[in-house]
Amino acid sequence: MKTEDTRSDIMQAALDLIVEQGFHGAPVAEIAEKAGVAAGTIYRYFVSKDFLITELHRELEEKIVAVVQESYPSERPLRERFLYLIRELLRYFITNPLHFRYMEQYYNSPYGISLHRDRLLGKPGNQDILMDIFEQGIDQQVLKELPKAILFSLSFGSLISLMRDHILGFIVLDEALIKQTTEACWDAIKR
Amino acid sequence: MKTEDTRSDIMQAALDLIVEQGFHGAPVAEIAEKAGVAAGTIYRYFVSKDFLITELHRELEEKIVAVVQESYPSERPLRERFLYLIRELLRYFITNPLHFRYMEQYYNSPYGISLHRDRLLGKPGNQDILMDIFEQGIDQQVLKELPKAILFSLSFGSLISLMRDHILGFIVLDEALIKQTTEACWDAIKR
Amino acid sequence: MKTEDTRSDIMQAALDLIVEQGFHGAPVAEIAEKAGVAAGTIYRYFVSKDFLITELHRELEEKIVAVVQESYPSERPLRERFLYLIRELLRYFITNPLHFRYMEQYYNSPYGISLHRDRLLGKPGNQDILMDIFEQGIDQQVLKELPKAILFSLSFGSLISLMRDHILGFIVLDEALIKQTTEACWDAIKR
Amino acid sequence: MKTEDTRSDIMQAALDLIVEQGFHGAPVAEIAEKAGVAAGTIYRYFVSKDFLITELHRELEEKIVAVVQESYPSERPLRERFLYLIRELLRYFITNPLHFRYMEQYYNSPYGISLHRDRLLGKPGNQDILMDIFEQGIDQQVLKELPKAILFSLSFGSLISLMRDHILGFIVLDEALIKQTTEACWDAIKR
DNA sequence: GATGAATGAGGCTTCATTCAT
DNA sequence: CATGAATGAAGCCTCATTCAT
């Protein structure tokens, strides 16, 4: 497990353990052991366990946002852009299920409580992308005339639930299903 | 706070505290204080804190299921039954936000991990009601031809997200919006 | 060691250990062991180790002040009152050497830093008594015309040093010596 | 801060930090940083932190003793010699307040416990000078007929207390006051 | 039945010291 | 010689649980 980058080792170990056992079930000592370092070493990289947890969330989010924004078809029609966003998110999480499960835990914990709305695509960048889509969609009378927050829930709420089920093995999201489900998300918000 | 039913007092205190501060932030001593009993007393009603937490979940679920099943229009058309289910759930949680928040916490914790699928309407009874709707809907070519688990996520995932936003105050679900959103949920799954 | 009063046991154990080994040399675990209780028990009586230390100081000071003020001859001449104060303090500390050593440690530590001047007789009550003596003494041209803080150091600085030497066994302050030394303290400040 | 003499840099950094924050508040890492060296480097000059602390005390004492002994008027009358000693000490500490505060901390700590009597002027050299004064003073019936240790406390105890108050800013010892206070010290011991 | 003082395992964190580079 | 990342013992504190009253 011990690689060259101690900091990454620690974060990976924390990710694994927290996903598996929750924040409580991941004592610093165990994270350290899994990372192949001494407990004290963790404190050379993170001022506290809380900071490690927060940092882990921040970096994951960064990565996700970057992936989703990359090659975002900003010039294409609304529907296409919306489907792109949802599809890429699904793909990202299918590829990185631990990331999904970590984010879920984070938001449903005292840590994430202060984050409220900035969920998932909440980073200003994405938020804007998404809200732009909703705004334009309402303007163009393509989407239902509902508050944007509701449009968000209608589409992304489904996505999150789908991801959870996929990860838990209740369903297997292959490319065909991804296509169908993302379109179903669209159906929920389109006029 | 001290009423005649000590057991209920304890559960209510636990509910309040856990919703407010999470499982970590609800030491047995504090629950006891809030319930107006001594810490030791809790152990006369619940063998352990874990059991109290699990029990609280179980009873809440029971209550929710009972409410939703009551006057369920089993003889009415599919769409109507579906809308009824979602609407009643939304109403229940809007009336009892603590219950919603507790359930959410529970599922996103080591306690709920083993529960996986049986979320929300997961109790056999409801599960069946819901799955019946999906099954018939597919048969009658009213619903999209997708695995039932996916239909579940598409509709109920939205609902959960809506509830969270309502509770956090991002949106206010009045009767008009409830109508529109439940119908949007239907849009997501209908063919 | 275990008596009826757990709180007192803890304070006594802390006093003994801290006097013997300093604040560093008195881990909570050891204090607990010496007091005949579990480590956690200490936290039922004191919110933190720091609080225990501060509280110990506060109570000792209270006791000392009470003893010294009792039967203080407020109607007698200045010199007599001054000698009374110093003599009683010496007697108190000779009888309770641990108290003296604890106070010394306390003042020479981050804990006591904020206390600065309110040393030893610094409690408002005593402070006033002492300062009254100095003030009247200067007025009546009985004492040297120096700032009161200096008169304080000239007399009480000696006293503290004497106490330390007595406790360390370099000298033995019997009644005869107490009389002579308190008078020497007076000589230092009298005109 | 980095000068040519690494060893001195370390001692100076330790002095500053310990005076400011106490022994606890001066981790080796911080001393190293302040000295402009790596933590490990300190161990090339001092076998342990304890040794550094002890050494710092030793060297300060050496310096103080040297200063006080220099131009000591060994041929002048008793009173003059005594006043010289006290005055020079006061001046030294007024000029080097950090040294005073370090010594105070040192003596009131487990480190200094074993040093007992050899306080301040305790180095054999000074000790002798001082004790000579006391001895001769008693012989010549100039000083009170008290144990030498008591004469020491009566005069030097005041001095220490004065220094502390000066450093804490309660009083300002200018030359005039130094003269008066040293004479008051003499009053305390003179017959 | 109820109480709440006591317990002590276990969690987070600090920091003097070592040692490979 | 110097570095500073790594170590891990040891410290403080929390809290679920027990049990004598």
Side-chain angles (χ1 to χ4, degrees):
Chain A
M1 162 63 69
K2 186 70 159 295
T3 70
E4 281 181 23
D5 189 348
T6 305
R7 188 187 149 97
S8 296
D9 291 347
I10 294 167
M11 290 190 102
Q12 188 61 48
L15 179 64
D16 292 353
L17 222 44
I18 289 170
V19 161
E20 206 71 39
Q21 327 202 30
F23 293 118
H24 301 61
V28 171
E30 209 169 329
I31 293 174
E33 190 188 19
K34 191 160 195 152
V37 301
T41 301
I42 289 182
Y43 291 85
R44 292 192 53 74
Y45 295 91
F46 307 93
V47 288
S48 68
K49 188 187 178 186
D50 272 23
F51 185 79
L52 164 56
I53 286 169
T54 302
E55 190 62 7
L56 194 41
H57 158 261
R58 209 187 52 67
E59 296 199 8
L60 289 183
E61 193 164 64
E62 220 168 76
K63 227 182 279 186
I64 295 166
V65 167
V67 165
V68 171
Q69 284 190 335
E70 193 194 330
S71 70
Y72 171 70
S74 47
E75 307 304 328
R76 306 288 304 158
L78 235 122
R79 178 169 183 281
E80 199 167 322
R81 281 182 279 151
F82 176 84
L83 294 179
Y84 174 89
L85 265 184
I86 301 226
R87 188 178 60 239
E88 289 312 309
L89 264 180
L90 276 178
R91 281 182 181 157
Y92 180 89
F93 283 134
I94 287 171
T95 312
N96 306 280
L98 293 190
H99 295 195
F100 178 80
R101 291 177 66 187
Y102 186 85
M103 297 303 262
E104 280 244 291
Q105 283 214 32
Y106 187 82
Y107 287 120
N108 278 76
S109 78
Y111 299 111
I113 273 178
S114 58
L115 288 175
H116 290 333
R117 169 66 304 159
D118 2 318
R119 293 171 49 79
L120 265 183
L121 297 201
K123 267 299 183 250
N126 277 327
Q127 189 81 330
D128 290 352
I129 289 181
L130 195 57
M131 289 309 155
D132 274 2
I133 292 179
F134 289 158
E135 218 153 275
Q136 294 173 28
I138 295 170
D139 267 7
Q140 303 169 16
Q141 308 202 338
V142 176
L143 296 183
K144 296 190 169 92
E145 203 166 345
L146 288 167
K148 283 182 286 185
I150 288 188
L151 294 179
F152 179 91
S153 281
L154 286 174
S155 45
F156 278 73
S158 300
L159 177 146
I160 297 191
S161 188
L162 283 167
M163 267 315 307
R164 187 158 22 206
D165 278 6
H166 172 87
I167 283 171
L168 294 177
F170 295 122
I171 55 179
V172 178
L173 289 173
D174 54 26
E175 280 299 319
L177 275 180
I178 289 178
K179 187 171 187 315
Q180 289 177 283
T181 52
T182 52
E183 282 171 356
C185 285
W186 175 257
D187 290 343
I189 59 172
K190 83 142 189 279
R191 191 174 288 230
Chain B
M1 165 61 69
K2 184 68 160 295
T3 70
E4 282 183 20
D5 189 348
T6 304
R7 188 188 149 96
S8 295
D9 291 346
I10 294 167
M11 292 190 101
Q12 187 62 48
L15 178 63
D16 291 352
L17 224 44
I18 289 170
V19 161
E20 207 72 38
Q21 328 202 31
F23 293 117
H24 300 63
V28 172
E30 209 169 329
I31 294 174
E33 190 189 19
K34 191 160 193 151
V37 301
T41 303
I42 288 183
Y43 289 83
R44 301 199 62 78
Y45 294 90
F46 306 93
V47 288
S48 70
K49 187 188 178 185
D50 273 22
F51 185 77
L52 164 57
I53 286 169
T54 303
E55 190 61 7
L56 191 43
H57 159 261
R58 210 187 50 67
E59 297 200 6
L60 287 183
E61 194 163 65
E62 222 167 72
K63 226 182 281 186
I64 295 166
V65 168
V67 165
V68 171
Q69 285 190 334
E70 193 195 331
S71 71
Y72 171 70
S74 47
E75 305 305 328
R76 306 288 303 158
L78 229 108
R79 181 169 180 279
E80 201 169 322
R81 281 183 277 150
F82 176 84
L83 293 179
Y84 174 88
L85 265 184
I86 300 225
R87 189 178 58 240
E88 289 312 308
L89 262 180
L90 276 178
R91 282 183 182 155
Y92 180 88
F93 283 134
I94 286 171
T95 312
N96 306 280
L98 293 191
H99 294 195
F100 179 80
R101 291 175 67 187
Y102 186 85
M103 297 303 262
E104 280 245 292
Q105 282 211 36
Y106 188 81
Y107 288 122
N108 279 77
S109 77
Y111 299 111
I113 274 179
S114 58
L115 289 174
H116 292 333
R117 166 67 300 160
D118 3 317
R119 291 175 51 81
L120 268 181
L121 296 201
K123 268 310 193 228
N126 277 326
Q127 189 81 330
D128 291 353
I129 288 181
L130 195 56
M131 290 309 156
D132 274 2
I133 292 178
F134 289 157
E135 219 153 89
Q136 294 173 30
I138 295 170
D139 269 8
Q140 303 170 17
Q141 307 202 337
V142 175
L143 296 183
K144 295 190 169 92
E145 202 166 346
L146 288 167
K148 283 181 287 184
I150 287 186
L151 294 179
F152 178 90
S153 281
L154 286 174
S155 45
F156 279 74
S158 299
L159 178 144
I160 310 253
S161 188
L162 283 167
M163 267 316 305
R164 186 158 22 206
D165 277 5
H166 173 85
I167 284 171
L168 292 177
F170 294 123
I171 56 180
V172 178
L173 289 174
D174 54 25
E175 279 299 319
L177 276 180
I178 289 179
K179 186 172 189 312
Q180 288 178 283
T181 51
T182 51
E183 281 171 357
C185 285
W186 174 258
D187 290 343
I189 59 173
K190 83 143 189 276
R191 190 173 289 225
Chain C
M1 164 64 67
K2 186 70 158 296
T3 69
E4 281 183 22
D5 188 349
T6 306
R7 188 187 149 96
S8 295
D9 291 347
I10 293 167
M11 290 190 104
Q12 188 62 48
L15 178 63
D16 291 352
L17 222 44
I18 289 170
V19 161
E20 206 71 38
Q21 327 202 31
F23 293 117
H24 301 62
V28 171
E30 209 169 330
I31 293 174
E33 190 188 20
K34 189 157 196 154
V37 301
T41 301
I42 288 182
Y43 291 86
R44 292 192 53 75
Y45 295 91
F46 307 94
V47 288
S48 68
K49 187 187 176 185
D50 272 23
F51 186 79
L52 164 56
I53 286 170
T54 302
E55 190 62 7
L56 194 41
H57 157 261
R58 209 186 52 67
E59 296 199 8
L60 289 183
E61 194 164 64
E62 221 168 75
K63 225 181 283 185
I64 295 167
V65 167
V67 164
V68 171
Q69 284 189 334
E70 193 194 330
S71 69
Y72 171 71
S74 46
E75 306 304 328
R76 306 288 303 158
L78 228 109
R79 180 170 181 280
E80 200 167 321
R81 283 182 278 149
F82 176 83
L83 293 180
Y84 174 87
L85 265 185
I86 300 224
R87 188 178 58 238
E88 288 313 307
L89 263 180
L90 276 179
R91 281 183 181 155
Y92 180 88
F93 284 133
I94 286 170
T95 312
N96 306 281
L98 293 191
H99 295 194
F100 178 80
R101 291 177 66 188
Y102 185 84
M103 297 303 261
E104 279 244 292
Q105 283 213 34
Y106 187 81
Y107 288 121
N108 279 76
S109 78
Y111 299 110
I113 273 179
S114 58
L115 289 174
H116 289 332
R117 165 70 302 157
D118 3 317
R119 292 172 52 79
L120 266 182
L121 295 203
K123 270 299 186 248
N126 277 327
Q127 189 80 330
D128 290 351
I129 288 181
L130 194 57
M131 289 309 154
D132 274 2
I133 292 178
F134 289 157
E135 219 153 273
Q136 294 173 28
I138 295 171
D139 267 7
Q140 303 169 15
Q141 307 202 338
V142 175
L143 296 183
K144 294 190 170 91
E145 203 165 346
L146 288 167
K148 283 181 287 185
I150 287 186
L151 293 179
F152 179 91
S153 282
L154 285 173
S155 45
F156 279 73
S158 299
L159 176 146
I160 297 190
S161 187
L162 282 166
M163 268 315 307
R164 188 159 21 207
D165 278 6
H166 173 86
I167 285 170
L168 293 177
F170 294 123
I171 56 180
V172 178
L173 288 174
D174 53 26
E175 279 299 320
L177 275 180
I178 288 178
K179 185 171 190 315
Q180 288 178 284
T181 52
T182 52
E183 282 171 357
C185 284
W186 175 257
D187 291 342
I189 59 173
K190 83 143 190 277
R191 191 174 285 227
Chain D
M1 165 61 69
K2 186 69 160 293
T3 68
E4 283 182 20
D5 188 348
T6 304
R7 187 188 151 96
S8 295
D9 291 346
I10 294 168
M11 292 189 100
Q12 186 62 47
L15 177 63
D16 291 352
L17 225 44
I18 290 170
V19 161
E20 207 71 37
Q21 327 202 31
F23 292 118
H24 300 62
V28 172
E30 210 169 328
I31 294 174
E33 190 189 20
K34 191 160 195 152
V37 301
T41 302
I42 288 183
Y43 289 83
R44 301 200 61 77
Y45 294 90
F46 306 93
V47 290
S48 71
K49 187 187 178 185
D50 273 22
F51 186 78
L52 164 57
I53 286 169
T54 303
E55 191 60 9
L56 191 44
H57 159 261
R58 210 187 50 67
E59 296 200 7
L60 287 183
E61 194 163 65
E62 222 167 74
K63 225 182 283 188
I64 295 166
V65 167
V67 164
V68 171
Q69 285 190 333
E70 193 195 329
S71 72
Y72 172 70
S74 48
E75 306 305 328
R76 307 287 304 158
L78 234 123
R79 181 168 182 277
E80 199 169 323
R81 280 183 279 150
F82 176 83
L83 293 179
Y84 175 87
L85 264 184
I86 300 224
R87 188 177 59 239
E88 289 313 307
L89 262 180
L90 276 179
R91 281 182 181 155
Y92 180 87
F93 282 134
I94 286 171
T95 312
N96 306 280
L98 295 191
H99 294 195
F100 179 80
R101 291 176 65 187
Y102 185 85
M103 298 302 263
E104 280 245 292
Q105 282 212 36
Y106 187 82
Y107 288 121
N108 279 76
S109 77
Y111 299 111
I113 274 178
S114 58
L115 288 175
H116 293 334
R117 164 66 306 156
D118 1 318
R119 290 175 51 82
L120 268 183
L121 295 201
K123 269 303 187 242
N126 276 327
Q127 188 81 331
D128 289 353
I129 287 181
L130 194 58
M131 289 309 155
D132 274 2
I133 292 177
F134 289 157
E135 218 153 275
Q136 294 172 28
I138 295 170
D139 268 7
Q140 303 170 16
Q141 308 203 336
V142 175
L143 296 183
K144 295 189 169 95
E145 202 166 346
L146 289 167
K148 282 180 288 182
I150 287 187
L151 293 179
F152 178 90
S153 281
L154 286 173
S155 45
F156 278 74
S158 299
L159 177 145
I160 310 253
S161 187
L162 283 168
M163 267 316 304
R164 189 161 14 208
D165 277 5
H166 173 85
I167 283 171
L168 292 177
F170 295 124
I171 56 178
V172 178
L173 289 174
D174 54 25
E175 279 299 319
L177 275 179
I178 290 180
K179 186 171 188 313
Q180 288 178 284
T181 52
T182 51
E183 281 172 357
C185 285
W186 174 258
D187 290 343
I189 59 173
K190 83 144 191 275
R191 189 175 288 227

